[in-house]
Amino acid sequence: MLNSTLGESYQNSLALEQEWPDYGIGDPYVMRYNGLYYLYCSTKDFRVGIKAWSSSDLIHWKYEGLVTDEPLTEGAYAPEVVYWNGFFYMYTSPAGKGHYVLRSESPIGPFTIQTGNLGLSIDGSVFIDDDGKWYFTHASDKGIIGHEMPDPYTMTAEKTLNAYLGHWTEGSMIVKRDGKYFITYTGNHVFSKGYRINYAVATDSPIGTYKVMENNPIVISTKQNFNGLGHSSSVIGPNLDAYYMFYHNLIGHSKEGPPVRMLNMDRIVFNGEKMGVLGDGTQFPQPVPRMPDFYDGVNKPLEKELWDVRVKGDETKWLSSTSTDKNRFTAEYNFRMNMENTREEEASFEIIFSYTDDNHFNSVRVDPVLRNITLFEMKDGKRKQIAIAELPQSMDFAKLHTIRVESDARSTKIYFDQMNKLTVTDITAKSGKIGYAYRNMKPTMEFTAFSNEAGGSSDFETAKPVPGSIEAVHYMDGKDQGFHVGHPVKGSVMREDDGVPIQSSEDGSNAVNLMGKGDWLAYRINVESDGIYGFDAMLKEDGNDNVVELQVDGKPQRFELNHSQSEGNLWVKKHLGQIKLAQGEHILTVKLVKGKLNYRFLDIYRVTELPTEKLSNMFNQILPEDMYGKWVKREEGYAVQTEGSDAKMYAGSDEWTDYRVEVDLKSTADSIEEAGLLFRVTNESEFPEQVRDSFMGYQLTFRNGRMILKKMNYGQDEVDSAPIRFATGSIVHIAVDVNGATMKVYVNDSKQPALEWTDANAWMHGKIGIRSASPSWLFTNLSLVRR
């Protein structure tokens, strides 16, 4: 725990008591059960047993010991645990030699082996859908593999999913939100600095067709002191609304050879089909997860002092001492229905929400005989059945079960054991107490809570890390505090009560369209360190010259958004300008001064100004650790040693933005291999068992009489090309101007660009470099000048 302007905070990486010595915590998996969290991790090679920790707040962790000491668990990889109907099922692949299922009646064991070797590759993960069907995913070298599961111990025929990182892909997990399946996955090798987390979204099935989103990777860092980020699990936070991602970072090799890793946690946010991890992986103070606004029963019986307990005849009611107080809330109820010595036809059990008095409340009745749940509305003393949903016939109601209610101005959703069983628009959020009502039975009521948040609304107020991205729709709550629109609109796709014009966008996310002069939105930001920061907006051009004002804690700076040469109504990332920021928490306000501002998100990144004079001989500034492959120095330049090899070198800073990079390139002999000039490069890495194009940025490739511009993101996308002639033994001078989202390539002394391209979602900062796969290419006179 650290002190900061955020109040109580934490900072990655996290150290827990009783970690595996000289191994740490790798492949972390966090599950939530009955108001507590349980963390499991991989077992060090040649050690037996699986360790676990518990927490109520995701920050303070208590070591629970070995949850199994089965000899088979020697070197148990990536154990994951799922609760279902009274049992905890653990899936693990000891030493990567096939999967086994273990079972326990407690999240802290003892887990005992239930199956033989089921085979399959490492990193098995289970997902249970709303209909109660089970699915299993795991790693492979062709993408994540999915299986249907007719029971907890059986996997059917495999299906290769399009969740793939171009090489070995592992560490999958699926969460479902708003009817969408979000799968996260990692690659390519645990010892690579470029180990990273991607995600994709499907709407048809957990093992259906996934759409890989443009904002990937969502977690990556190749910094010397913080890299190898991956193998994640995602879990809903203590406030019942926010999501958090747990993953590990690489420290190095243990003395015995396995990787040494540490635990990390970062906040997840959602915007329609878009998922993001704030900061792409942070290593500076972040706000601790918020607790619910009301809660009781964390690993203990409910305290009567917190409840209004009413007994009337054969009926008992427990009502919370406080009420929900917003037009949205999430409530959770954990219970066991003890049916012994009870005549089932006379017994009833309901959970209550939005209670104001006995004539006005909503409830969900659980029927253990018919195996269903029924949603009721009590209005003016009249009880009305709203909806009914069937439950799996196998449910044992003497075991712990969970009902979750999410309600806002649009709808109310009812979950049973994390399965979304009802979604209705007849009932929307109303303030009131939560509780229980039961007759002729004595249920056990366990963890019970509510939060004045629902559907990701806590994403609005949380401080967004800078450097990082901010979704336009994640402005703060409160009229004239988080937003102001002079002419409110109706019919927004989200946050409709605010009157802020919000519309669905082509990429599956939602965007804000400010149209009134003086309209503004405010965001809470958390700045890593003092410095100059660049601000970019993904906006829709309308062909006009618009003006916006960015305020930091009320101090304004205006920026003109001159339109591009391209046609209007195109989404394009535009550089707004640069602002000096101080470390800590601030309020960032985006205000429309002239025209319109239709934007999806803001990117904020640290900027280092280049000197005004030209930087010649950049080769002299390249450090040995920034050279990959076998290079030889020749004629004041560089060439690779071996035909067909792949060698790269990088120079400069991740924080450089607009510049002109130049190089002289000579072809000394015919070759079918490529040469490349690199620019705006970030997150570069190199490892044998990883994709070859292991960096993010741009590469101008020279091959067979053509130059080809490629956008690189641990893979390559050819975006434009033009002819170029290299006479053997002659030197060609290449210059690339990068200004905002536009790139222009000049050859020799030409004043006209031989190639010009604007990237709608451009990389806006990064290093320069060169790449080659043949000794016949010679690079000299690498230089740089600030634009």
Side-chain angles (χ1 to χ4, degrees):
M1 311 295 289
L2 301 170
N3 292 321
S4 76
T5 57
L6 302 168
E8 197 174 23
S9 62
Y10 75 95
Q11 180 172 326
N12 291 326
S13 298
L14 309 173
L16 306 187
E17 60 174 339
Q18 297 295 317
E19 294 180 358
W20 290 105
D22 195 29
Y23 188 72
I25 291 182
D27 311 321
Y29 179 80
V30 177
M31 70 160 291
R32 186 171 180 272
Y33 169 77
N34 199 16
L36 288 175
Y37 296 90
Y38 297 89
L39 166 65
Y40 310 88
C41 67
S42 285
T43 301
K44 188 175 183 180
D45 295 21
F46 316 118
R47 306 320 192 260
V48 171
I50 294 173
K51 294 189 173 190
W53 293 260
S54 66
S55 174
S56 62
D57 59 9
L58 296 179
I59 295 296
H60 302 90
W61 292 92
K62 174 189 173 186
Y63 180 57
E64 296 288 358
L66 294 177
V67 297
T68 182
D69 57 4
E70 293 270 12
L72 188 66
T73 60
E74 179 181 319
Y77 287 177
E80 296 199 5
V81 177
V82 60
Y83 173 77
W84 180 259
N85 203 27
F87 292 103
F88 297 84
Y89 297 89
M90 175 182 284
Y91 299 81
T92 187
S93 177
K97 299 177 181 177
H99 276 90
Y100 295 82
V101 184
L102 293 80
R103 195 181 74 175
S104 173
E105 294 185 24
S106 165
I108 57 174
F111 284 87
T112 57
I113 297 170
Q114 302 294 307
T115 68
N117 192 335
L118 301 176
L120 311 178
S121 184
I122 63 172
D123 294 356
S125 183
V126 167
F127 171 76
I128 303 173
D129 209 350
D130 295 334
D131 57 4
K133 291 183 179 179
W134 290 42
Y135 299 85
F136 190 77
T137 58
H138 61 86
S140 87
D141 59 2
K142 56 188 177 181
I144 297 299
I145 304 295
H147 306 256
E148 294 185 6
M149 298 178 67
D151 58 64
Y153 307 117
T154 308
M155 294 78 176
T156 62
E158 70 175 44
K159 178 183 179 182
T160 303
L161 308 183
N162 59 313
Y164 183 47
L165 287 172
H167 201 287
W168 181 257
T169 306
E170 61 187 20
S172 59
M173 183 182 180
I174 299 171
V175 297
K176 190 174 187 180
R177 190 175 180 281
D178 290 339
K180 307 173 188 69
Y181 304 95
F182 293 83
I183 187 170
T184 52
Y185 47 100
T186 289
N188 293 123
H189 194 281
V190 70
F191 277 117
S192 166
K193 289 170 63 177
Y195 200 58
R196 62 205 182 280
I197 303 170
N198 271 37
Y199 81 105
V201 185
T203 56
D204 54 347
S205 163
I207 57 172
T209 303
Y210 278 90
K211 178 171 69 172
V212 180
M213 304 297 284
E214 194 173 23
N215 62 314
N216 280 306
I218 54 173
V219 174
I220 187 170
S221 172
T222 60
K223 298 175 183 175
Q224 195 61 34
N225 63 341
F226 193 57
N227 59 63
L229 314 184
H231 197 119
S232 67
S233 66
S234 303
V235 68
I236 202 160
N239 77 339
L240 313 179
D241 181 72
Y243 277 82
Y244 289 85
M245 179 176 283
F246 286 81
Y247 58 93
H248 67 240
N249 69 291
L250 179 68
I251 299 298
H253 290 73
S254 73
K255 293 179 181 177
E256 299 173 20
V260 181
R261 295 162 291 184
M262 294 189 71
L263 178 68
N264 301 271
M265 175 183 76
D266 275 307
R267 178 70 181 268
I268 302 173
V269 293
F270 294 91
N271 176 15
E273 293 182 356
K274 189 176 181 182
M275 172 184 182
V277 175
L278 295 182
D280 297 341
T282 68
Q283 204 184 19
F284 64 101
Q286 302 300 319
V288 299
R290 279 183 46 204
M291 298 301 289
D293 294 291
F294 170 88
Y295 63 98
D296 191 19
V298 180
N299 222 17
K300 61 178 178 60
L302 300 185
E303 295 182 16
K304 286 192 174 182
E305 294 78 10
L306 296 177
W307 299 84
D308 175 12
V309 182
R310 304 178 184 182
V311 181
K312 183 179 180 180
D314 56 3
E315 183 179 76
T316 301
K317 279 184 184 174
W318 287 62
L319 298 171
S320 59
S321 57
T322 57
S323 301
T324 62
D325 61 7
K326 289 185 179 179
N327 64 344
R328 62 184 184 234
F329 67 85
T330 302
E332 184 179 301
Y333 312 77
N334 291 271
F335 57 88
R336 305 170 196 266
M337 298 175 65
N338 305 319
M339 305 303 296
E340 293 182 8
N341 303 318
T342 299
R343 285 180 296 196
E344 293 181 345
E345 65 275 9
E346 298 179 358
S348 67
F349 176 83
E350 298 184 39
I351 62 95
I352 293 173
F353 59 97
S354 298
Y355 175 93
T356 54
D357 56 47
D358 282 349
N359 294 319
H360 299 87
F361 64 89
N362 301 313
S363 65
V364 176
R365 185 183 67 196
V366 181
D367 191 323
V369 177
L370 297 178
R371 296 290 196 275
N372 65 24
I373 57 173
T374 307
L375 174 62
F376 291 98
E377 179 185 36
M378 179 72 80
K379 186 176 182 180
D380 297 328
K382 297 180 180 179
R383 184 177 171 94
K384 178 183 178 182
Q385 178 177 313
I386 303 298
I388 189 168
E390 302 299 317
L391 299 177
Q393 291 298 303
S394 61
M395 285 292 147
D396 179 353
F397 291 91
K399 305 299 184 183
L400 185 132
H401 295 283
T402 303
I403 289 180
R404 174 185 175 90
V405 179
E406 290 182 12
S407 192
D408 59 21
R410 286 181 177 268
S411 67
T412 294
K413 299 176 181 178
I414 310 296
Y415 297 80
F416 188 93
D417 287 355
Q418 313 310 315
M419 297 177 289
N420 183 5
K421 288 301 181 182
L422 293 171
T423 298
V424 299
T425 56
D426 304 65
I427 294 177
T428 56
K430 296 181 180 66
S431 62
K433 297 183 177 183
I434 68 166
Y436 300 88
Y438 52 91
R439 178 183 288 119
N440 291 326
M441 65 182 305
K442 292 185 177 180
T444 300
M445 299 170 295
E446 303 200 19
F447 176 77
T448 311
F450 73 72
S451 172
N452 290 298
E453 308 286 359
S457 62
S458 59
D459 293 349
F460 309 155
E461 289 292 326
T462 193
K464 312 304 188 295
V466 171
S469 292
I470 302 174
E471 295 297 305
V473 298
H474 288 166
Y475 56 88
M476 295 162 52
D477 270 334
K479 182 180 179 182
D480 295 327
Q481 177 178 329
F483 62 92
H484 171 84
V485 286
H487 299 282
V489 301
K490 294 182 179 180
S492 290
V493 297
M494 63 179 291
R495 308 189 70 170
E496 57 273 20
D497 289 349
D498 295 349
V500 175
I502 299 176
Q503 304 164 343
S504 298
S505 185
E506 294 89 332
D507 71 340
S509 69
N510 299 311
V512 173
N513 186 13
L514 296 182
M515 296 176 287
K517 180 180 178 180
D519 290 354
W520 55 262
L521 305 175
Y523 306 88
R524 197 181 304 276
I525 62 172
N526 173 26
V527 179
E528 180 176 18
S529 58
D530 296 354
I532 304 296
Y533 288 82
F535 286 72
D536 300 333
M538 176 61 76
L539 54 85
K540 199 168 195 177
E541 292 200 313
D542 60 6
N544 298 314
D545 292 336
N546 303 313
V547 180
V548 299
E549 183 176 275
L550 299 182
Q551 300 177 10
V552 178
D553 300 333
K555 298 178 181 178
Q557 288 185 232
R558 289 191 176 186
F559 302 99
E560 294 185 3
L561 303 181
N562 298 322
H563 67 277
S564 302
Q565 301 300 317
S566 57
E567 297 292 329
N569 291 323
L570 294 176
W571 286 99
V572 63
K573 187 183 290 183
K574 298 279 288 188
H575 182 60
L576 303 184
Q578 299 178 6
I579 296 178
K580 186 176 183 180
L581 299 177
Q583 182 182 21
E585 186 173 342
H586 305 277
I587 301 299
L588 169 68
T589 302
V590 180
K591 183 177 181 180
L592 180 62
V593 176
K594 175 186 174 184
K596 296 180 181 180
L597 179 62
N598 189 355
Y599 69 114
R600 290 176 181 162
F601 61 86
L602 298 174
D603 276 347
I604 310 175
Y605 49 91
R606 192 178 170 96
V607 171
T608 295
E609 284 286 359
L610 281 158
T612 54
E613 68 274 11
K614 184 175 183 177
L615 297 178
S616 301
N617 264 329
M618 289 296 295
F619 286 131
N620 295 337
Q621 299 187 25
I622 296 177
L623 302 174
E625 56 264 31
D626 290 327
M627 301 178 70
Y628 302 93
K630 295 182 179 180
W631 292 95
V632 291
K633 194 168 185 178
R634 285 194 339 216
E635 302 177 28
E636 302 302 320
Y638 282 91
V640 298
Q641 285 186 354
T642 310
E643 185 78 11
S645 64
D646 183 23
K648 312 178 191 79
M649 66 171 71
Y650 307 97
S653 168
D654 289 352
E655 299 173 1
W656 288 350
T657 55
D658 293 346
Y659 49 69
R660 179 184 178 98
V661 57
E662 302 179 3
V663 73
D664 289 332
L665 183 58
K666 181 194 289 187
S667 174
T668 59
D670 287 338
S671 172
I672 62 170
E673 300 292 348
E674 299 179 348
L677 178 62
L678 314 179
F679 52 97
R680 284 196 176 160
V681 170
T682 62
N683 289 308
E684 68 278 7
S685 68
E686 198 75 16
F687 196 79
E689 296 174 59
Q690 180 177 283
V691 292
R692 284 168 58 94
D693 300 313
S694 50
F695 63 94
M696 299 159 70
Y698 299 97
Q699 176 174 309
L700 183 63
T701 299
F702 305 99
R703 181 186 66 210
N704 295 335
R706 296 197 70 78
M707 54 180 172
I708 305 161
L709 182 60
K710 301 177 181 180
K711 186 173 184 179
M712 314 296 286
N713 187 3
Y714 280 76
Q716 57 176 266
D717 182 19
E718 296 187 4
V719 297
D720 205 352
S721 67
I724 188 171
R725 182 173 181 273
F726 282 92
T728 302
S730 64
I731 295 174
V732 177
H733 183 75
I734 308 295
V736 179
D737 260 347
V738 281
N739 183 18
T742 299
M743 288 142 255
K744 298 179 180 180
V745 180
Y746 298 88
V747 177
N748 293 325
D749 298 324
S750 174
K751 303 300 182 184
Q752 295 297 318
L755 187 152
E756 180 176 353
W757 186 67
T758 297
D759 186 354
N761 190 11
W763 307 122
M764 299 292 267
H765 58 97
K767 300 176 179 177
I768 63 171
I770 60 171
R771 184 178 188 180
S772 181
S774 172
S776 65
W777 294 108
L778 177 65
F779 295 85
T780 58
N781 299 321
L782 181 65
S783 63
L784 192 77
V785 64
R786 185 174 80 182
R787 280 197 50 87

